[in-house]
Amino acid sequence: MRTSSVGPLDSLPLPVCSAVAMLCRQGAGCLRSLPTLRLRARGLQPGRSSLRLQALPVWAAASVSAAAPGGWYEALAASAPVRAAEEVLLGAQAATGLPWWGSIMLTTVALRGAVTLPLAAYQHYILAKVENLQPEIKSIAKRLNQEVAVCAHQFGWSKRVARLTYLKNMRRLVSELYVRDNCHPFKATVLVWVQLPMWVFISVALRNFSTGAAHSEAAVSVQEQLAAGGVLWFPDLTAVDSTWILPVSVGVVNLLIVEIFALQKLGMSRFQMYVTHFVRAVSVLMIPIAATVPSSLVLYWLCSSLLGLSQNLLLRSPGFRHLCRIPTTKSDSETPYKDLSAAFYAKFLSRK
């Protein structure tokens, strides 16, 4: 079974802070809609709101401040990348003529196929080359350790000096190997640096459309189209999914991605186990968050997660890996799906 070092973070829509900020923004809007007379009727003056804010917990005060006019979320919602995301969504809907639910799904598929899938293939390419370097790195480490031991005995180095000398030279030699094969592990993180911002910008753009806050001349008409652009049990994409089908589906798919990752990792370190448990918790946390935002966002999140799951499975295929010219490694399996099914059955379905 393949034991790739690709983490679950690469496939999950994990910017929960963005979703929380949306909730804070909605709550702040309700607070701002209260008339001044009602504040005075309770003996509060508008000018004294800062005193009241100081009495709030730190996290609550920070959330309200972020969602207030001029806060970081307001700046994000009006930023150039979000406006570009709005134009992409509008252009896709105008070009296809599909209802908004279909346009959102088609745009997600197009972005995943054109942007994240090639980057994911490149990520696996880099990680495969790094994995193939491990035997050479171990050989160098063994030889260097012997040379440092000889020098330490010859020149009377202390253990600390010998260790520092070993680490310094080992880092240099490994770096030379990465340069030689053009496979520095940092290059494998390019997927995260592209996928994460894209997820946030599309999510914020859809929220702007759903609330009529989009920065385009057709903002109101788009909101009206979304209100009638749903399907099945969510006909209104500007409203929350009261059935919780979409939110629960998002959480289940994300948990499935995490479990598939965990099944493919053999002998995880303690840190990797902590990260896996954390991502499990975030996946569950996404369910109540998704139940409080417009259905258009949740539909996008669900499509993105489903495509992320499909992308991970596709990149396990020996044929597809060969097509992408990903080097063969010792941990590759000729029957990855059979191995995955057997591991899933042994962990969740078999009775001991």
Side-chain angles (χ1 to χ4, degrees):
M1 182 179 297
R2 180 170 175 78
T3 58
S4 170
S5 58
V6 180
L9 298 176
D10 299 334
S11 304
L12 294 177
L14 295 183
V16 178
C17 294
S18 175
V20 173
M22 294 176 187
L23 300 181
C24 297
R25 177 65 178 82
Q26 292 173 345
C30 295
L31 290 174
R32 292 198 301 271
S33 65
L34 290 174
T36 305
L37 293 177
R38 289 183 60 184
L39 293 174
R40 291 177 177 174
R42 294 173 179 244
L44 299 175
Q45 296 296 329
R48 297 169 59 187
S49 59
S50 59
L51 298 178
R52 178 60 177 166
L53 184 61
Q54 294 175 359
L56 293 173
V58 174
W59 64 268
S63 300
V64 174
S65 299
W72 65 266
Y73 182 81
E74 290 286 344
L76 173 63
S79 64
V82 172
R83 294 190 182 189
E86 293 175 359
E87 294 299 326
V88 169
L89 291 168
L90 288 173
Q93 203 278 334
T96 60
L98 293 172
W100 269 102
W101 67 268
S103 179
I104 291 172
M105 295 178 64
L106 182 62
T107 303
T108 307
V109 172
L111 290 175
R112 277 280 186 173
V115 179
T116 60
L117 181 57
L119 290 178
Y122 178 71
Q123 180 188 63
H124 280 251
Y125 171 81
I126 293 295
L127 292 175
K129 296 184 73 172
V130 171
E131 183 178 343
N132 288 336
L133 279 177
Q134 295 311 305
E136 187 173 355
I137 291 176
K138 290 181 180 179
S139 175
I140 292 176
K142 183 178 180 180
R143 186 169 66 252
L144 179 63
N145 190 40
Q146 294 174 349
E147 293 178 359
V148 169
V150 171
C151 291
H153 178 73
Q154 181 178 357
F155 299 106
W157 292 348
S158 64
K159 290 184 177 181
R160 180 175 179 274
V161 172
R163 178 174 176 79
L164 291 176
T165 302
Y166 170 81
L167 293 176
K168 179 181 179 180
N169 285 276
M170 191 64 198
R171 281 195 295 266
R172 177 179 58 82
L173 293 172
V174 171
S175 179
E176 290 176 356
L177 289 179
Y178 290 154
V179 172
R180 185 195 70 186
D181 289 5
N182 193 23
C183 62
H184 196 285
F186 183 77
K187 293 182 178 181
T189 66
V190 65
L191 174 63
V192 178
W193 298 113
V194 173
Q195 180 177 327
L196 200 61
M198 184 175 70
W199 189 91
V200 172
F201 297 148
I202 296 293
S203 297
V204 177
L206 285 171
R207 185 193 177 279
N208 286 348
F209 285 153
S210 300
T211 58
H215 300 81
S216 63
E217 298 178 357
V220 177
S221 62
V222 172
Q223 184 183 21
E224 294 174 351
Q225 294 172 18
L226 283 172
V231 68
L232 300 176
W233 68 90
F234 53 100
D236 185 355
L237 291 176
T238 64
V240 299
D241 182 9
S242 59
T243 66
W244 282 60
I245 295 178
L246 287 177
V248 171
S249 299
V250 170
V252 170
V253 174
N254 289 341
L255 283 174
L256 185 58
I257 294 174
V258 178
E259 295 309 321
I260 288 177
F261 165 79
L263 291 174
Q264 291 171 336
K265 291 290 290 184
L266 298 177
M268 285 196 297
S269 65
R270 180 175 298 181
F271 174 75
Q272 289 175 327
M273 291 182 62
Y274 288 155
V275 171
T276 303
H277 292 325
F278 173 75
V279 177
R280 284 193 182 106
V282 172
S283 299
V284 175
L285 179 63
M286 285 295 294
I287 296 177
I289 292 177
T292 56
V293 298
S295 298
S296 58
L297 274 77
V298 191
L299 178 62
Y300 167 64
W301 294 351
L302 178 59
C303 292
S304 181
S305 296
L306 285 171
L307 290 171
L309 175 61
S310 302
Q311 172 182 292
N312 277 356
L313 293 176
L314 180 63
L315 284 168
R316 306 298 168 185
S317 168
F320 186 78
R321 294 176 67 85
H322 178 73
L323 180 65
C324 296
R325 298 184 179 180
I326 299 175
T328 303
T329 64
K330 186 178 179 180
S331 62
D332 283 345
S333 171
E334 293 295 330
T335 57
Y337 304 124
K338 183 179 179 180
D339 295 343
L340 185 61
S341 300
F344 187 88
Y345 178 82
K347 182 175 182 180
F348 298 106
L349 301 178
S350 65
R351 296 182 179 180
K352 297 182 180 180

